[in-house]
Amino acid sequence: MSEAENSKIGVLVMSYGTPESLDDVEAYYTHIRRGHPPTPEQLTDLYGRYEAIVGGVFPLRENTNGQVAGLADKLEQLAPGRYACYQGLKHARPYIEDGVEEMARDGIKQAVGIVLAPHYSTMSVGSYIKRAQEKASELGVEMTFVKQYHLHPKLLQALTERVTDGLARLSASSGGEPSVKVLFSAHSLPEKIRELGDPYEEQLLETSRAVAKQAGIADDGWQFTWQSAGRTREPWLGPDILETLAELAEQGVKAVLAAPIGFVSDHLEVLFDLDIEAKTTAKNMGITLERIKMLNRDPLYMETLAESVIEAT
């Protein structure tokens, strides 16, 4: 490898991971459960969720791959020849450690890590950083990390455009229904994060407030709710969006725009939990529910990531 190549800064792009096909679902779920295989009932339920979404599991992995490629393209535009992107997943191959090892094999000595999740929590982004840092220290790669970017102006702009577009579509599909509520949401985490002083919840509220303000939504026109809580014995942050929909139905709300700002791609939690489960629940309650379009490879999101990486180096 030439000196010029060796001096490149590695960019480890981390995300949760998803199976590439239905054949990989059991191994993926076993990894999430820390080596404990799912029960037949749990596995059947998960298979059913993947099979219910259009296109099965394949679009999910393609979206993540596309985001990594999009970031690489944007970094090349902004800083030609300076960065090289690598992918590292939490629960699927290539694992986070695999991405760090690939950087080391390529002779990378300096790197920055960024997670495809704008909001920091010790239980989410913090766990990615911990794994990457441990492997980087072992291999002699010096790493810095982007911990959060939830108030990046271009991220807020991209989300605001989606909320505005979603409200226009909702108005059309609900016949101009004046009683509309925007529900910002994110993946729930165990309640114990509050005892730790974890910033996750407040950062999500900061993003919600900023987007609502930019979109011209009144304070009583939006609220925050949770979704996709894990099925464990410990309590998770709530209320869940299904509970919130029931409350809104009692209040006479007839139209809801779901804005899952905690997600940046068409994850299972969006395509099933919102598009199928929440939409069906809302319909049964007499509520029209629409969802904002996800960021995926939106140019503004790619610029958010690229600018955050450059700032960190």
PDB file of all heavy atoms in Angstrom, residues 180-200:
ATOM      1  N   VAL A 180     -55.580  16.847  13.546  1.00  0.00           N
ATOM      2  CA  VAL A 180     -54.381  16.082  13.181  1.00  0.00           C
ATOM      3  C   VAL A 180     -53.361  16.144  14.312  1.00  0.00           C
ATOM      4  O   VAL A 180     -53.153  17.191  14.923  1.00  0.00           O
ATOM      5  CB  VAL A 180     -53.743  16.637  11.884  1.00  0.00           C
ATOM      6  CG1 VAL A 180     -52.456  15.896  11.560  1.00  0.00           C
ATOM      7  CG2 VAL A 180     -54.720  16.533  10.717  1.00  0.00           C
ATOM      8  N   LYS A 181     -52.716  15.032  14.566  1.00  0.00           N
ATOM      9  CA  LYS A 181     -51.645  14.978  15.572  1.00  0.00           C
ATOM     10  C   LYS A 181     -50.407  14.354  14.954  1.00  0.00           C
ATOM     11  O   LYS A 181     -50.486  13.313  14.291  1.00  0.00           O
ATOM     12  CB  LYS A 181     -52.082  14.149  16.777  1.00  0.00           C
ATOM     13  CG  LYS A 181     -51.072  14.111  17.910  1.00  0.00           C
ATOM     14  CD  LYS A 181     -51.095  15.387  18.744  1.00  0.00           C
ATOM     15  CE  LYS A 181     -52.286  15.407  19.677  1.00  0.00           C
ATOM     16  NZ  LYS A 181     -52.208  16.515  20.665  1.00  0.00           N
ATOM     17  N   VAL A 182     -49.263  15.001  15.144  1.00  0.00           N
ATOM     18  CA  VAL A 182     -47.990  14.431  14.709  1.00  0.00           C
ATOM     19  C   VAL A 182     -47.399  13.657  15.874  1.00  0.00           C
ATOM     20  O   VAL A 182     -47.231  14.208  16.970  1.00  0.00           O
ATOM     21  CB  VAL A 182     -47.001  15.520  14.247  1.00  0.00           C
ATOM     22  CG1 VAL A 182     -45.655  14.895  13.861  1.00  0.00           C
ATOM     23  CG2 VAL A 182     -47.574  16.294  13.059  1.00  0.00           C
ATOM     24  N   LEU A 183     -47.099  12.382  15.648  1.00  0.00           N
ATOM     25  CA  LEU A 183     -46.501  11.539  16.682  1.00  0.00           C
ATOM     26  C   LEU A 183     -45.043  11.257  16.333  1.00  0.00           C
ATOM     27  O   LEU A 183     -44.747  10.457  15.453  1.00  0.00           O
ATOM     28  CB  LEU A 183     -47.263  10.218  16.814  1.00  0.00           C
ATOM     29  CG  LEU A 183     -48.637  10.252  17.476  1.00  0.00           C
ATOM     30  CD1 LEU A 183     -49.191   8.835  17.602  1.00  0.00           C
ATOM     31  CD2 LEU A 183     -48.565  10.906  18.856  1.00  0.00           C
ATOM     32  N   PHE A 184     -44.139  11.943  17.009  1.00  0.00           N
ATOM     33  CA  PHE A 184     -42.720  11.627  16.865  1.00  0.00           C
ATOM     34  C   PHE A 184     -42.449  10.372  17.703  1.00  0.00           C
ATOM     35  O   PHE A 184     -42.997  10.220  18.802  1.00  0.00           O
ATOM     36  CB  PHE A 184     -41.856  12.783  17.369  1.00  0.00           C
ATOM     37  CG  PHE A 184     -41.986  14.040  16.565  1.00  0.00           C
ATOM     38  CD1 PHE A 184     -42.714  15.131  17.036  1.00  0.00           C
ATOM     39  CD2 PHE A 184     -41.385  14.139  15.313  1.00  0.00           C
ATOM     40  CE1 PHE A 184     -42.828  16.292  16.292  1.00  0.00           C
ATOM     41  CE2 PHE A 184     -41.497  15.301  14.548  1.00  0.00           C
ATOM     42  CZ  PHE A 184     -42.221  16.380  15.044  1.00  0.00           C
ATOM     43  N   SER A 185     -41.602   9.488  17.182  1.00  0.00           N
ATOM     44  CA  SER A 185     -41.346   8.251  17.929  1.00  0.00           C
ATOM     45  C   SER A 185     -39.916   7.771  17.729  1.00  0.00           C
ATOM     46  O   SER A 185     -39.204   8.208  16.822  1.00  0.00           O
ATOM     47  CB  SER A 185     -42.321   7.148  17.501  1.00  0.00           C
ATOM     48  OG  SER A 185     -42.083   6.739  16.163  1.00  0.00           O
ATOM     49  N   ALA A 186     -39.536   6.840  18.598  1.00  0.00           N
ATOM     50  CA  ALA A 186     -38.218   6.202  18.516  1.00  0.00           C
ATOM     51  C   ALA A 186     -38.303   4.863  19.224  1.00  0.00           C
ATOM     52  O   ALA A 186     -39.263   4.578  19.947  1.00  0.00           O
ATOM     53  CB  ALA A 186     -37.151   7.071  19.165  1.00  0.00           C
ATOM     54  N   HIS A 187     -37.290   4.049  19.018  1.00  0.00           N
ATOM     55  CA  HIS A 187     -37.236   2.728  19.649  1.00  0.00           C
ATOM     56  C   HIS A 187     -37.139   2.892  21.163  1.00  0.00           C
ATOM     57  O   HIS A 187     -36.290   3.604  21.671  1.00  0.00           O
ATOM     58  CB  HIS A 187     -36.022   1.960  19.130  1.00  0.00           C
ATOM     59  CG  HIS A 187     -36.143   0.473  19.281  1.00  0.00           C
ATOM     60  ND1 HIS A 187     -36.316  -0.142  20.501  1.00  0.00           N
ATOM     61  CD2 HIS A 187     -36.112  -0.520  18.364  1.00  0.00           C
ATOM     62  CE1 HIS A 187     -36.387  -1.446  20.326  1.00  0.00           C
ATOM     63  NE2 HIS A 187     -36.280  -1.705  19.036  1.00  0.00           N
ATOM     64  N   SER A 188     -38.036   2.221  21.872  1.00  0.00           N
ATOM     65  CA  SER A 188     -37.990   2.266  23.326  1.00  0.00           C
ATOM     66  C   SER A 188     -36.740   1.568  23.848  1.00  0.00           C
ATOM     67  O   SER A 188     -36.154   0.717  23.172  1.00  0.00           O
ATOM     68  CB  SER A 188     -39.239   1.579  23.898  1.00  0.00           C
ATOM     69  OG  SER A 188     -39.219   1.605  25.312  1.00  0.00           O
ATOM     70  N   LEU A 189     -36.344   1.953  25.056  1.00  0.00           N
ATOM     71  CA  LEU A 189     -35.246   1.302  25.765  1.00  0.00           C
ATOM     72  C   LEU A 189     -35.715   1.019  27.192  1.00  0.00           C
ATOM     73  O   LEU A 189     -36.697   1.610  27.654  1.00  0.00           O
ATOM     74  CB  LEU A 189     -33.998   2.199  25.785  1.00  0.00           C
ATOM     75  CG  LEU A 189     -33.251   2.379  24.464  1.00  0.00           C
ATOM     76  CD1 LEU A 189     -32.094   3.350  24.636  1.00  0.00           C
ATOM     77  CD2 LEU A 189     -32.744   1.048  23.928  1.00  0.00           C
ATOM     78  N   PRO A 190     -35.038   0.150  27.908  1.00  0.00           N
ATOM     79  CA  PRO A 190     -35.426  -0.115  29.293  1.00  0.00           C
ATOM     80  C   PRO A 190     -35.461   1.171  30.136  1.00  0.00           C
ATOM     81  O   PRO A 190     -34.604   2.038  29.989  1.00  0.00           O
ATOM     82  CB  PRO A 190     -34.348  -1.077  29.784  1.00  0.00           C
ATOM     83  CG  PRO A 190     -33.938  -1.816  28.540  1.00  0.00           C
ATOM     84  CD  PRO A 190     -33.963  -0.762  27.457  1.00  0.00           C
ATOM     85  N   GLU A 191     -36.432   1.259  31.025  1.00  0.00           N
ATOM     86  CA  GLU A 191     -36.613   2.460  31.848  1.00  0.00           C
ATOM     87  C   GLU A 191     -35.397   2.798  32.703  1.00  0.00           C
ATOM     88  O   GLU A 191     -35.208   3.957  33.110  1.00  0.00           O
ATOM     89  CB  GLU A 191     -37.824   2.280  32.774  1.00  0.00           C
ATOM     90  CG  GLU A 191     -39.161   2.501  32.104  1.00  0.00           C
ATOM     91  CD  GLU A 191     -40.308   2.426  33.104  1.00  0.00           C
ATOM     92  OE1 GLU A 191     -40.035   2.283  34.313  1.00  0.00           O
ATOM     93  OE2 GLU A 191     -41.470   2.500  32.669  1.00  0.00           O
ATOM     94  N   LYS A 192     -34.563   1.798  32.955  1.00  0.00           N
ATOM     95  CA  LYS A 192     -33.415   2.033  33.838  1.00  0.00           C
ATOM     96  C   LYS A 192     -32.448   3.085  33.300  1.00  0.00           C
ATOM     97  O   LYS A 192     -31.618   3.606  34.051  1.00  0.00           O
ATOM     98  CB  LYS A 192     -32.662   0.724  34.099  1.00  0.00           C
ATOM     99  CG  LYS A 192     -32.025   0.097  32.876  1.00  0.00           C
ATOM    100  CD  LYS A 192     -31.397  -1.252  33.215  1.00  0.00           C
ATOM    101  CE  LYS A 192     -30.779  -1.933  31.996  1.00  0.00           C
ATOM    102  NZ  LYS A 192     -30.248  -3.272  32.304  1.00  0.00           N
ATOM    103  N   ILE A 193     -32.550   3.428  31.995  1.00  0.00           N
ATOM    104  CA  ILE A 193     -31.642   4.448  31.466  1.00  0.00           C
ATOM    105  C   ILE A 193     -31.892   5.797  32.138  1.00  0.00           C
ATOM    106  O   ILE A 193     -30.990   6.635  32.215  1.00  0.00           O
ATOM    107  CB  ILE A 193     -31.731   4.598  29.933  1.00  0.00           C
ATOM    108  CG1 ILE A 193     -33.085   5.187  29.506  1.00  0.00           C
ATOM    109  CG2 ILE A 193     -31.450   3.292  29.223  1.00  0.00           C
ATOM    110  CD1 ILE A 193     -33.099   5.655  28.058  1.00  0.00           C
ATOM    111  N   ARG A 194     -33.109   6.013  32.633  1.00  0.00           N
ATOM    112  CA  ARG A 194     -33.403   7.276  33.320  1.00  0.00           C
ATOM    113  C   ARG A 194     -32.605   7.404  34.606  1.00  0.00           C
ATOM    114  O   ARG A 194     -32.152   8.492  34.973  1.00  0.00           O
ATOM    115  CB  ARG A 194     -34.904   7.375  33.619  1.00  0.00           C
ATOM    116  CG  ARG A 194     -35.751   7.652  32.385  1.00  0.00           C
ATOM    117  CD  ARG A 194     -37.233   7.617  32.686  1.00  0.00           C
ATOM    118  NE  ARG A 194     -38.025   8.041  31.545  1.00  0.00           N
ATOM    119  CZ  ARG A 194     -39.332   7.816  31.419  1.00  0.00           C
ATOM    120  NH1 ARG A 194     -39.982   7.168  32.391  1.00  0.00           N
ATOM    121  NH2 ARG A 194     -39.986   8.234  30.361  1.00  0.00           N
ATOM    122  N   GLU A 195     -32.415   6.293  35.291  1.00  0.00           N
ATOM    123  CA  GLU A 195     -31.648   6.297  36.535  1.00  0.00           C
ATOM    124  C   GLU A 195     -30.176   6.599  36.259  1.00  0.00           C
ATOM    125  O   GLU A 195     -29.460   7.093  37.126  1.00  0.00           O
ATOM    126  CB  GLU A 195     -31.774   4.945  37.237  1.00  0.00           C
ATOM    127  CG  GLU A 195     -33.199   4.564  37.606  1.00  0.00           C
ATOM    128  CD  GLU A 195     -33.303   3.105  38.042  1.00  0.00           C
ATOM    129  OE1 GLU A 195     -32.244   2.496  38.302  1.00  0.00           O
ATOM    130  OE2 GLU A 195     -34.431   2.581  38.114  1.00  0.00           O
ATOM    131  N   LEU A 196     -29.728   6.288  35.049  1.00  0.00           N
ATOM    132  CA  LEU A 196     -28.332   6.505  34.668  1.00  0.00           C
ATOM    133  C   LEU A 196     -28.076   7.916  34.163  1.00  0.00           C
ATOM    134  O   LEU A 196     -26.944   8.268  33.844  1.00  0.00           O
ATOM    135  CB  LEU A 196     -27.932   5.497  33.575  1.00  0.00           C
ATOM    136  CG  LEU A 196     -28.104   4.012  33.915  1.00  0.00           C
ATOM    137  CD1 LEU A 196     -27.834   3.155  32.684  1.00  0.00           C
ATOM    138  CD2 LEU A 196     -27.173   3.624  35.058  1.00  0.00           C
ATOM    139  N   GLY A 197     -29.145   8.718  34.054  1.00  0.00           N
ATOM    140  CA  GLY A 197     -28.983  10.062  33.501  1.00  0.00           C
ATOM    141  C   GLY A 197     -28.687  10.041  32.022  1.00  0.00           C
ATOM    142  O   GLY A 197     -28.019  10.945  31.489  1.00  0.00           O
ATOM    143  N   ASP A 198     -29.168   9.012  31.348  1.00  0.00           N
ATOM    144  CA  ASP A 198     -28.894   8.833  29.922  1.00  0.00           C
ATOM    145  C   ASP A 198     -29.544   9.960  29.108  1.00  0.00           C
ATOM    146  O   ASP A 198     -30.687  10.334  29.365  1.00  0.00           O
ATOM    147  CB  ASP A 198     -29.458   7.481  29.478  1.00  0.00           C
ATOM    148  CG  ASP A 198     -28.954   7.036  28.124  1.00  0.00           C
ATOM    149  OD1 ASP A 198     -29.427   7.592  27.109  1.00  0.00           O
ATOM    150  OD2 ASP A 198     -28.099   6.154  28.082  1.00  0.00           O
ATOM    151  N   PRO A 199     -28.847  10.523  28.105  1.00  0.00           N
ATOM    152  CA  PRO A 199     -29.382  11.666  27.347  1.00  0.00           C
ATOM    153  C   PRO A 199     -30.371  11.295  26.246  1.00  0.00           C
ATOM    154  O   PRO A 199     -30.944  12.180  25.602  1.00  0.00           O
ATOM    155  CB  PRO A 199     -28.121  12.281  26.735  1.00  0.00           C
ATOM    156  CG  PRO A 199     -27.207  11.115  26.526  1.00  0.00           C
ATOM    157  CD  PRO A 199     -27.454  10.210  27.712  1.00  0.00           C
ATOM    158  N   TYR A 200     -30.584  10.013  25.996  1.00  0.00           N
ATOM    159  CA  TYR A 200     -31.390   9.546  24.864  1.00  0.00           C
ATOM    160  C   TYR A 200     -32.763  10.212  24.790  1.00  0.00           C
ATOM    161  O   TYR A 200     -33.144  10.788  23.759  1.00  0.00           O
ATOM    162  CB  TYR A 200     -31.540   8.030  24.973  1.00  0.00           C
ATOM    163  CG  TYR A 200     -32.281   7.334  23.850  1.00  0.00           C
ATOM    164  CD1 TYR A 200     -31.799   7.378  22.541  1.00  0.00           C
ATOM    165  CD2 TYR A 200     -33.438   6.593  24.107  1.00  0.00           C
ATOM    166  CE1 TYR A 200     -32.461   6.698  21.514  1.00  0.00           C
ATOM    167  CE2 TYR A 200     -34.106   5.922  23.090  1.00  0.00           C
ATOM    168  CZ  TYR A 200     -33.615   5.974  21.800  1.00  0.00           C
ATOM    169  OH  TYR A 200     -34.269   5.308  20.785  1.00  0.00           O
TER     170      TYR A 200
END
